[in-house]
Amino acid sequence: MAQTVRVRIVDDLDGGEAQEKVSFTFDGKPREIELSHENAAKFRQLMQPYMESSRPAKADNIATKGAPAPVLTQAQQREEGVAIRAWCAKHHLPVNSLGRIPAMTRKAWEQETRHGDRSLLDQLLAKAGIDPSESEDKEPDKVVPIKARVSVEDHLERLARTIGKLSDPQETRLRAASEGSGTATAKDAADRSSYEALVRRGCMRQDAEDTYTITSVGRTWVRLNEAALTA
């Protein structure tokens, strides 16, 4: 005897029949719920004022406790490596020019550049015999001995050359920061996109929300590419 089996999806809210699945994230926790069209419409209507008043979340602001770390592409890994080595050069923190970056150095970079926490950086500087106060907000050629300047400048040039070509918007913003006070403020989404790309490539660092400062590598890149930028 043939039988027909009908699967009925139940509305998780009122127990009626559901016609669609609604997915959302709240406090960093992905959720989903089966709803009727009517209840789904009510949900979207309820959320609309919050959506209109909100803004896209940055990766650092999304709760990821217990979630796996994002997988970076090879290009992103190279960009991050350039940024970390430029940061190490800025603080005169020893780091190998090629190969794997120590996990502690990477963690110190993340804490200082993303959260303004220098505690781990200061520990690494003290371990390397460097006075933390001598590394803060100073250009490398102003605080290192003369004999070491050439190697630091060569290192910055090597880092700058690995960056390669920037997009036109990135070039324009980096050059403006170089010719001005060295700091810049993102006024819109286009600015923010360019500055965040420059941060990933080691040309700028983020000091606060929407506030960015050119790095030694960024200045070196501008100097090495000045002819192309002014052509």
Side-chain angles (χ1 to χ4, degrees):
M1 179 182 296
Q3 293 183 344
T4 300
V5 178
R6 181 173 182 269
V7 178
R8 179 174 181 269
I9 302 176
V10 177
D11 187 309
D12 293 320
L13 188 65
D14 60 17
E17 185 172 357
Q19 288 97 18
E20 59 181 289
K21 178 186 295 183
V22 178
S23 301
F24 59 98
T25 299
F26 183 72
D27 281 349
K29 299 176 181 178
R31 313 292 293 180
E32 60 182 31
I33 186 172
E34 304 283 356
L35 296 173
S36 65
H37 292 320
E38 182 181 358
N39 284 336
K42 291 179 180 179
F43 176 81
R44 294 187 176 96
Q45 184 178 9
L46 178 66
M47 290 298 298
Q48 189 63 30
Y50 299 96
M51 292 295 295
E52 291 176 351
S53 300
S54 65
R55 58 185 177 276
K58 294 183 179 179
D60 291 345
N61 295 335
I62 300 175
T64 56
K65 185 177 181 181
V71 178
L72 301 180
T73 65
Q74 289 186 349
Q76 289 173 327
Q77 291 176 7
R78 287 194 296 269
E79 289 182 2
E80 187 174 271
V82 169
I84 294 174
R85 288 183 171 91
W87 174 82
C88 288
K90 171 179 178 287
H91 293 290
H92 318 300
L93 187 65
V95 67
N96 52 317
S97 58
L98 295 173
R100 182 176 176 274
I101 296 174
M104 196 63 69
T105 301
R106 184 180 297 275
K107 185 175 181 180
W109 168 75
E110 291 177 348
Q111 289 184 356
E112 200 270 340
T113 58
R114 298 178 181 176
H115 308 293
D117 181 0
R118 284 183 53 100
S119 57
L120 189 52
L121 167 62
D122 290 345
Q123 291 179 31
L124 293 178
L125 291 171
K127 186 176 180 180
I130 301 172
D131 183 353
S133 65
E134 289 296 314
S135 77
E136 186 173 5
D137 297 328
K138 294 182 179 179
E139 295 295 325
D141 59 351
K142 295 180 182 179
V143 296
V144 297
I146 294 177
K147 292 183 179 179
R149 288 180 186 172
V150 175
S151 61
V152 171
E153 291 173 357
D154 287 347
H155 180 62
L156 289 173
E157 287 194 6
R158 285 197 298 271
L159 292 175
R161 292 183 192 282
T162 63
I163 293 172
K165 182 174 175 57
L166 299 175
S167 67
D168 290 342
Q170 292 168 19
E171 285 186 1
T172 299
R173 289 168 173 82
L174 185 63
R175 182 182 176 189
S178 176
E179 294 175 348
S181 63
T183 61
T185 300
K187 298 179 180 179
D188 52 35
D191 280 349
R192 193 174 297 108
S193 176
S194 291
Y195 290 133
E196 289 179 352
L198 290 168
V199 169
R200 291 194 299 271
R201 306 192 75 168
C203 294
M204 302 194 80
R205 70 171 187 269
Q206 185 172 7
D207 296 326
E209 185 175 3
D210 291 339
T211 302
Y212 303 83
T213 299
I214 191 170
T215 64
S216 299
V217 173
R219 291 187 184 278
T220 302
W221 190 94
V222 171
R223 176 171 59 81
L224 294 176
N225 293 272
E226 189 60 32
L229 289 173
T230 56

